[in-house]
Each structure stands twice: as C-alpha cells, then as structure tokens.
C-alpha cells in the first residue's frame, strides 16, 4: 500500500485540526449574518405524528452507570421481542433528547456537539415496536415525537441490504439511522465541520449502547453500510443531508 502522509488529499489530514488554520472564519454563513438552519427538519404537512411518552411516564428502572459501562458490548443477536414505546422514547432521549432550549438556534441535547451545532436527524427503521406499524419514522427532538415518514417494503431485507448484508440489521426491533444535515455545522465551521460531525456521531452512538443496557437491549454500531441505499431508504439527497452512522437495536437474552 502506498504510505499515506498528511497532505490535504490524504485521509489522515481529516483527523488533524489543520483545516482550522485554513478556514476563513470571517467568510462563514454565521459571520455573514445569515440565519442558521433550523435545528429540526419539519414534518411534511399532513404526516402522522406519534407523541412519545415523556420521561416522567417511563416505566424504566434506574440502572447503575458503572454496570452499564462495564457490560456494554456490541450485540448482534436479538430475541424476537418487541420494544415498548417508552423504551424507544428513552433511547431517543438518550441519543438526541433536548435538555435545554437556550433559544431557537441553540438547543442543548443529552449528548455534546461541537459549537452546539448538532447536525443529526434520527431515522428509525421500525420492525417490532409496540404501538408502531413497521416502517420508516423520524424523531422530532423539539416535540419529543415521531413522524411517520413512509412504509418500507420488506423492511428486514431492505435494512440488511442497507447494511451491506449484515443480517442482524434486519433482525433488530428497530434500526437507528443517523443522517447529518451538513448546513447546520457548516454554518459555523465551514470545511472544519467534517471531523467534528464524525466525533459528534460517536457520542450519540455510545449513549445508545449504554441506554440499551438499561432496558435489556443491545446494539452494534455500523459504519459499513451502502451509502446510496441508506440515503435512498431515508429519503435524503446524500449531499446536503447524508447518512453517517447506523445502529440496529433489539432485546437480547440476559446472561
Ligand atoms: C465506528 C464503528 C463502526 C463499526 N462498524 C461495524 C459494522 O459495520 N459491523 C459490525 O458488525 N460492527 C461494527 N462495529 C462494532 C465493532 O466491531 C466493535 O465495537 C468492536 O469489535 C469492539 O467490540 P465491542 O463493541 O463489543 O467492545 C463498529 C464500531 C464502531 C465504533
């Protein structure tokens, strides 16, 4: 293999912070006074909105964080059990839940985000969740609700294909598919956005791993997915908004 060195063309460059020396921060949409993009994509008019149970209503027991960290592992074998709606609500809250609305452009979440510019939308390929028909949904963090996006023909096959044949995605109760809306982060960071978006995604998925431990479920991060199939499944253009990470979730047999 050709030995890569750190040039602007090499993948290694991506992991450095050198780009920040090159970005003209006086020339970003933020510094030009352009309004930031909305923190949440609106639901299409007439679409079905499913309110999620609020934290106070969850029948979820407290769980020792130390145990969750110690026992977390990537889990690829799921039972056929359904997830309950409050369990799904808990996972969504843990990964993108709103902690504090400072103002309409600065919304603090349960996970950190560089410059408070969380770029993600959370799509769900639902197979087995109590009270939800199988299909594609999206989390609306500001409303703590789901919007039904569309039905998915043959969801297990579609999700397996999206994950390059990794069959456990089709066996999950629900598969999280995170996209990034590029303009949210680019508004402040321009070309310095891409590394921080990848870092942000890691925090989100780790919270999913830990939250899954609490409810007797498991997950496995997936970076090996088919970009075009993933973007097509969730209905994004793959440029302004694109899939960055996937995580199937299901109940697991307790040891
Ligand atoms: C960024 C990232 C991408 C990953 N992609 C995949 C994947 O596509 N398929 C898979 O089976 N596991 C994937 N994994 C899971 C790793 O294989 C797993 O974390 C690793 O083997 C360590 O095991 P543990 O998570 O149980 O500690 C991924 C993990 C990370 C953090």
């Amino acid at each position: 293999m050709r030995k890569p060195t750190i040039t602007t063309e090499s993948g290694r460059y991506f992991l450095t912070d050198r780009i920040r020396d090159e970005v003209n921060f006086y020339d970003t949409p933020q510094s030009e006074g352009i309004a930031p993009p909305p923190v949440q994509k609106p639901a299409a008019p007439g679409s079905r909105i499913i309110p999620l149970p609020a934290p106070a209503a969850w029948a979820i027991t407290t769980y020792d964080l130390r145990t969750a960290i110690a026992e977390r592992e990537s889990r690829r074998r799921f039972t056929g059990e359904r997830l309950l709606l409050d369990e799904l609500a808990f996972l969504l809250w843990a990964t993108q839940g709103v902690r504090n609305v400072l103002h309409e452009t600065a919304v603090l979440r349960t996970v950190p985000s560089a410059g408070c510019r969380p770029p993600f939308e959370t799509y769900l390929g639902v197979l087995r969740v109590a009270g939800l028909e199988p299909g594609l949904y999206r989390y609306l963090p500001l409303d703590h609700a789901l919007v039904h996006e569309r039905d998915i023909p043959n969801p297990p096959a579609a999700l397996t294909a999206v994950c390059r044949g990794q069959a456990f995605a089709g066996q999950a109760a629900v598969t999280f598919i995170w996209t990034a809306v590029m303009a949210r982060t680019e508004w402040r960071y321009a070309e310095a956005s891409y590394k921080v978006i990848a870092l942000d995604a890691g925090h989100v998925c780790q919270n999913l791993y830990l939250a899954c431990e609490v409810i007797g479920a498991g997950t496995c991060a997936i970076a090996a997915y088919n970009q075009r199939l993933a973007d097509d499944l969730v209905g994004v253009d793959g440029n302004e908004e694109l899939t960055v990470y996937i995580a199937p979730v299901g109940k697991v047999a307790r040891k």
Side-chain angles (χ1 to χ4, degrees):
M1 189 186 112
R2 186 181 59 84
K3 196 145 176 63
T5 51
I6 294 176
T7 63
T8 48
E9 287 77 38
S10 84
R12 289 181 180 184
Y13 182 84
F14 169 83
L15 278 179
T16 71
D17 199 32
R18 294 181 187 187
I19 189 76
R20 217 179 281 256
D21 300 326
E22 287 162 32
V23 171
N24 180 357
F25 285 101
Y26 295 103
D27 191 26
T28 60
Q30 179 180 20
S31 60
E32 285 171 4
I34 295 169
V39 299
Q40 169 180 296
K41 281 203 309 184
S47 50
R48 187 152 38 95
I49 305 291
I50 302 103
L52 290 169
W58 297 339
I60 290 173
T61 51
T62 54
Y63 196 86
D64 180 47
L65 178 62
R66 181 173 167 173
T67 307
I69 292 171
E71 296 193 346
R72 178 219 66 84
E73 62 182 31
S74 293
R75 301 179 193 268
R76 303 176 181 85
R77 263 193 212 168
F78 307 122
T79 69
E81 266 178 286
R82 299 177 308 173
L83 240 60
L84 302 176
L85 200 57
D86 60 353
E87 292 173 330
L88 180 62
F90 168 62
L91 299 182
L92 288 162
W93 170 83
T95 49
Q96 277 297 277
V98 170
R99 202 162 50 79
N100 197 355
V101 179
L102 298 179
H103 53 84
E104 61 179 321
T105 64
V107 176
L108 298 170
R109 314 281 173 120
T110 52
V111 288
S113 172
C116 194
R117 304 300 312 145
F120 304 118
E121 292 286 335
T122 308
Y123 293 84
L124 301 175
V126 169
L127 280 91
R128 290 185 309 280
V129 177
L132 295 180
E133 292 297 321
L136 183 76
Y137 295 78
R138 183 166 56 88
Y139 184 46
L140 303 173
L142 292 175
D143 309 291
H144 189 55
L146 293 176
V147 54
H148 176 256
E149 293 281 1
R150 73 183 69 85
D151 294 336
I152 306 175
N154 195 351
L159 290 161
T160 301
V162 160
C163 296
R164 296 188 179 274
Q166 303 190 72
F168 64 91
Q171 294 154 4
V174 55
T175 291
F176 283 58
I177 302 171
W178 291 290
T179 64
V181 177
M182 304 312 294
R184 290 186 191 146
T185 309
E186 288 173 346
W187 176 76
R188 174 165 299 158
Y189 291 121
E191 291 85 357
S193 297
Y194 313 117
K195 176 180 165 181
V196 296
I197 289 174
L199 294 171
D200 280 7
H203 299 292
V204 172
C205 195
Q206 177 68 359
N207 264 20
L208 183 65
Y209 268 93
L210 297 177
C212 279
E213 292 300 314
V214 175
I215 59 166
T219 190
C220 177
I222 289 190
Y225 59 86
N226 179 305
Q227 189 69 46
R228 185 182 56 79
L229 290 183
D231 291 338
D232 285 354
L233 182 83
V234 299
V236 300
D237 71 353
N239 186 41
E240 295 302 325
E241 181 178 355
L242 52 102
T243 304
V244 291
Y245 216 4
I246 298 182
V249 171
K251 287 292 175 98
V252 294
R254 282 285 187 195
K255 284 179 215 150

